[in-house]
Amino acid sequence: MTEYFPEIKAPIAYEGPESTNPLAFRYYDKDRVIAGKTMAEHLRFAVAYWHTYKGEGTDVFGAGPYDRPWNHAATPLEIAEKTLDANFEFMTKLGVDYYCFHDRDIAPEGATFAESADNLKHIIDLAEKKQKETGLKLLWGTANLFSNPRYMSGGATNPNANITAYAAAQVKLAMDATKQLDGENYVFWGGREGYETLLNTNLKQEREQLAAFLHMAVGYAKKIGFTGQFLIEPKPCEPTKHQYDRDVATVLGFLREFDLYDYFKMNIEANHATLAGHTFEHELLIASQAGKLGSVDANRGDVMLGWDTDQFPSDIYETTAAMMIIVQQGGLGSGGLNFDAKVRRQSIDQLDLFYAHIGAMDVFARGLIIADKIISDGALEANRIERYSSWQSGVGADILAGRADLASIEAAVRAGSEPSIRSGRQEYLENLINRYI
Ligand code: XLS
Ligand code: NI
Ligand code: NI
């Protein structure tokens, strides 16, 4: 069989922090046990099919400079077969157990819906075989309801019911594919489920359409016995001006409003969080505290650029903060850290795909090691407990328990003296974190 990454002879090895080999892990030592689990179990890394194999390095100003050997074939279906081989070779050599795909990245869209369905079935059967041979697994599948021009006004939220029906049929097949491959989750990212202008939009109905669409998916999962976790991936905008799944808090409210709350968790993407005006950490924490942090699209934006640049994670502060939340909630369950990230336009070599993933895996592994130390030393938590200690008893405990009323509080405050203030110690705590990093 053709080798697509001949420069990599053996799986990428762990060589330790002192290593200067750019094709080795310095921190990711997959069998190392931290807080009772191996690093591989904590981190559950996944490769994103669309960026890693289908990305061409295009931008709005120009065609893609990458020349991938798996694209050298006569027909779209042959390209898809070769790409599948490249995926399993890449994952094996990198040492990542999971991958994620959209229906349209793993198999080409045909001239008709039926032809697209056949293409998908053909490739999914091959993928099933490859998974059995290699032991590699599917973290999640999803349907691409945004690239084809038919979806220019959305899938679930399209003003044309027949287009929404087309999208629903596509989701049905993508769910079948995910189930066939034992996918552990199924993702809904509503890239075009939003609007450009309210002048032509029936906002109320579009939100209802989205809810009805998700209810159909829940019903179908029950029908076929798909037990993977449903995930919604919030993003505020891009490609639409306003996306209905704006951020975690918005999605939680939407799910409650439409009786969908029990069926979905969140897939949090770092760059989507920052686009929404939040930190990655904020979105993770809001989801986690609601018991809804299901999975992560691990990437980053660029502070100088205001769009979804989908860069590979490289910021140790961000990965440490993320791993603190993930470890403290007891892991991601069926979720994982999916590198929804693309190498830069000028990174045209196949080896760049390895450098990118190795660096990202290492920065999360290192974040895990640091997060575990911070958590077990307990200094941050001790400070937090002390800061809120007045809520343990007296008026604080009464307010929290719903025993207090404004009138009795007013009387007590009137009889008492001015409450004291204390330092929030932000710089002290930032220095503390830097000691661990
Ligand atoms: C795009 C999204 C997309 C989802 C899957 O911004 O991140 O790639 O992860 O549809
Ligand atoms: Ni994503
Ligand atoms: Ni994204």
Side-chain angles (χ1 to χ4, degrees):
M1 197 167 60
T2 324
E3 239 194 312
Y4 294 107
F5 304 97
E7 300 97 326
I8 308 293
K9 309 268 181 261
I12 302 296
Y14 169 74
E15 292 185 2
E18 302 309 319
S19 173
T20 55
N21 176 2
L23 290 167
F25 296 117
R26 297 166 65 236
Y27 296 94
Y28 182 59
D29 181 5
K30 67 178 170 31
D31 298 321
R32 172 171 166 193
V33 174
I34 292 187
K37 282 198 286 190
T38 65
M39 282 190 143
E41 287 166 343
H42 276 285
L43 298 163
R44 296 169 59 82
F45 291 127
V47 173
Y49 218 91
W50 51 104
H51 288 312
T52 299
Y53 315 111
K54 303 303 286 181
E56 298 171 343
T58 49
D59 65 20
V60 281
F61 293 95
Y66 309 159
D67 178 23
R68 302 300 191 203
W70 49 88
N71 285 334
H72 296 182
T75 68
L77 207 54
E78 278 165 36
I79 290 176
E81 289 173 357
K82 288 187 163 198
T83 308
L84 192 72
D85 291 341
N87 175 46
F88 283 90
E89 184 188 333
F90 184 75
M91 290 172 70
T92 305
K93 289 183 168 175
L94 183 63
V96 162
D97 293 335
Y98 289 97
Y99 67 111
C100 301
F101 65 78
H102 299 84
D103 50 358
R104 299 305 183 237
D105 353 296
I106 201 162
E109 182 145 15
T112 61
F113 183 84
E115 198 180 305
S116 303
D118 291 346
N119 288 349
L120 186 64
K121 181 69 185 141
H122 174 78
I123 295 291
I124 295 301
D125 287 346
L126 292 178
E128 188 182 9
K129 255 197 232 138
K130 289 254 168 204
Q131 286 188 195
K132 287 216 173 92
E133 277 163 31
T134 57
L136 300 176
K137 295 173 275 189
L138 179 65
L139 187 68
W140 50 261
T142 188
N144 177 329
L145 305 180
F146 46 89
S147 294
N148 190 294
R150 90 172 64 82
Y151 295 128
M152 68 178 191
S153 314
T157 61
N158 202 289
N160 179 345
N162 295 318
I163 293 177
T164 296
Y166 202 106
Q170 205 182 314
V171 165
K172 184 244 181 221
L173 295 181
M175 284 174 62
D176 290 342
T178 304
K179 174 163 192 278
Q180 184 178 340
L181 297 180
D182 286 325
E184 299 187 23
N185 309 269
Y186 183 90
V187 163
F188 295 87
W189 168 63
R192 294 195 194 272
E193 314 299 2
Y195 61 80
E196 296 300 325
T197 171
L198 287 173
L199 292 175
N200 64 11
T201 302
N202 185 340
L203 180 103
K204 180 172 188 295
Q205 183 179 307
E206 286 201 4
R207 293 178 74 249
E208 288 165 2
Q209 284 175 219
L210 181 56
F213 195 93
L214 294 175
H215 272 291
M216 288 197 292
V218 168
Y220 188 64
K222 277 193 192 138
K223 184 169 168 182
I224 61 172
F226 174 67
T227 51
Q229 176 64 52
F230 273 167
L231 299 168
I232 291 187
E233 183 178 322
K235 186 175 183 180
C237 56
E238 197 201 284
T240 50
K241 174 176 111 163
H242 180 101
Q243 190 179 317
Y244 296 127
D245 297 337
R246 191 168 206 294
D247 59 4
V248 174
T250 306
V251 174
L252 291 177
F254 177 89
L255 294 175
R256 281 208 179 86
E257 184 177 347
F258 292 101
D259 279 332
L260 289 159
Y261 198 78
D262 293 343
Y263 307 108
F264 292 85
K265 288 188 177 179
M266 304 294 143
N267 182 37
I268 309 293
E269 181 164 318
N271 204 163
H272 296 184
T274 50
L275 274 182
H278 302 303
T279 58
F280 181 30
E281 182 183 2
H282 169 95
E283 287 291 81
L284 291 171
L285 195 56
I286 295 279
S288 179
Q289 300 203 335
K292 293 291 185 185
L293 173 53
S295 202
V296 173
D297 270 6
N299 64 10
R300 73 180 158 98
D302 183 309
V303 282
M304 304 301 287
L305 302 172
W307 66 89
D308 197 10
T309 58
D310 283 343
Q311 286 167 249
F312 276 85
S314 66
D315 182 333
I316 186 64
Y317 289 90
E318 259 185 31
T319 58
T320 299
M323 289 317 300
M324 281 181 50
I325 295 167
I326 292 169
V327 169
Q328 276 170 321
Q329 79 158 24
L332 287 170
S334 67
L337 300 175
N338 168 46
F339 294 118
D340 190 354
K342 57 187 175 199
V343 291
R344 298 301 87 193
R345 182 172 165 80
Q346 296 172 57
S347 304
I348 60 173
D349 296 340
Q350 268 74 265
L351 270 188
D352 290 315
L353 295 171
F354 277 91
Y355 298 137
H357 283 86
I358 290 168
M361 289 162 75
D362 256 354
V363 79
F364 264 99
R366 202 172 157 203
L368 167 62
I369 296 167
I370 297 168
D372 174 57
K373 285 211 187 87
I374 296 175
I375 294 167
S376 37
D377 287 3
L380 261 191
E381 197 47 28
N383 180 73
R384 202 178 271 129
I385 291 170
E386 167 63 19
R387 188 160 184 248
Y388 289 86
S389 56
S390 64
W391 290 87
Q392 299 291 327
S393 58
V395 69
D398 288 346
I399 292 173
L400 279 180
R403 284 190 299 262
D405 71 278
L406 290 186
S408 60
I409 289 182
E410 193 244 18
V413 170
R414 190 184 283 271
S417 51
E418 180 67 24
S420 58
I421 57 174
R422 53 171 287 170
S423 171
R425 294 230 176 106
Q426 181 168 335
E427 297 76 13
Y428 168 91
L429 295 167
E430 286 166 353
N431 296 351
L432 182 82
I433 294 295
N434 273 343
R435 258 180 19 224
Y436 289 89
I437 287 178

